[in-house]
Amino acid sequence: MLSILRKSRLKDKELRVLMLGLDNAGKTTIVKCIMKEDTSTVSPTLGFIIKTIDYNGYKLNIWDVGGQKTLRSYWRNYFEKTDALIWVVDATDRFRVSDCAEELKGLLGEEKLLGASLLVFANKTDVPGCMTPDEIREGLQLDDIKSHRWHILPCSAMTGENLVEGMDWVVKDAQQRLFLY
């Protein structure tokens, strides 16, 4: 029943995309790159930023929420009507992979996010010595996730590598799950 209501609500092909991850993962830089904005002046997000983009016939409302530890308890305020969760991981930050996994596991248990698909952007994979997508997949225990459809992609917020492919996956997944047409 919920999926029918969602399809009805989404007849105008509008998607709410929530972008989360630990601080310094590159969430805002990814959003700026997708929006074709200058990425040379990015500072930590101390709240949230909403950007809207028309993408392949869909209106994507991207909610970029700060990832500092002090802000994470407020993340739940942004869960309502989320269609896709983009979880950004800093592929150079080996020391916080377990923190990253713990935060993601908590998110995936939230009732308001149960219908959302999950895209994991392994950001900064253009940096030598970074973790591979397989290392991140293992560190986040992605293969254990049965509650959400998920996909992982290596990317670079600075070069734009795989950002379009990631957004394509989000839209394609939404087409399959949410829309009647």
Side-chain angles (χ1 to χ4, degrees), residues 37 68 105 139 156 166 179:
E37 295 177 1
Q68 295 87 344
K105 184 177 180 181
S156 169
F179 297 103

Side-chain angles (χ1 to χ4, degrees), residues 7-180:
K7 291 174 188 177
S8 165
R9 176 183 68 82
L10 294 169
K11 65 184 176 198
D12 57 353
K13 294 187 175 184
E14 187 171 338
L15 296 173
R16 180 180 167 112
V17 179
L18 184 59
M19 186 164 305
L20 296 174
L22 303 186
D23 52 300
N24 200 38
K27 300 175 295 296
T28 301
T29 307
I30 287 172
V31 172
K32 283 183 167 249
C33 191
I34 289 169
M35 299 297 295
K36 301 192 182 334
E37 295 177 1
D38 180 19
T39 58
S40 64
T41 57
V42 176
S43 58
T45 304
L46 300 175
F48 66 94
I49 299 167
I50 305 169
K51 296 285 186 172
T52 301
I53 184 171
D54 288 319
Y55 191 87
N56 291 345
Y58 290 82
K59 180 179 175 183
L60 304 182
N61 296 307
I62 303 172
W63 292 66
D64 169 19
V65 184
Q68 295 87 344
K69 193 167 187 121
T70 56
L71 298 177
R72 293 180 205 159
S73 62
Y74 298 103
W75 282 353
R76 65 182 28 92
N77 296 326
Y78 303 95
F79 294 169
E80 195 72 36
K81 298 180 183 171
T82 295
D83 299 303
L85 171 64
I86 298 177
W87 183 252
V88 181
V89 178
D90 180 346
T92 66
D93 193 355
R94 294 178 185 275
F95 298 108
R96 295 199 301 169
V97 172
S98 60
D99 292 343
C100 194
E102 185 178 318
E103 292 289 351
L104 179 60
K105 184 177 180 181
L107 288 172
L108 297 179
E110 292 285 341
E111 184 177 342
K112 290 183 180 177
L113 292 178
L114 283 178
S117 48
L118 171 66
L119 171 64
V120 177
F121 268 143
N123 191 27
K124 305 180 187 179
T125 54
D126 53 332
V127 177
C130 70
M131 293 180 282
T132 66
D134 284 339
E135 288 175 296
I136 293 170
R137 169 192 239 127
E138 185 177 314
L140 297 182
Q141 302 170 348
L142 294 179
D143 292 322
D144 294 342
I145 297 172
K146 306 298 183 217
S147 58
H148 295 73
R149 290 171 59 153
W150 62 269
H151 185 61
I152 184 170
L153 272 175
C155 75
S156 169
M158 297 306 291
T159 68
E161 175 193 3
N162 280 337
L163 298 184
V164 169
E165 290 81 356
M167 300 314 290
D168 284 346
W169 183 84
V170 166
V171 168
K172 183 179 178 188
D173 188 66
Q175 287 172 329
Q176 293 172 352
R177 291 183 314 107
L178 302 173
F179 297 103
L180 295 169

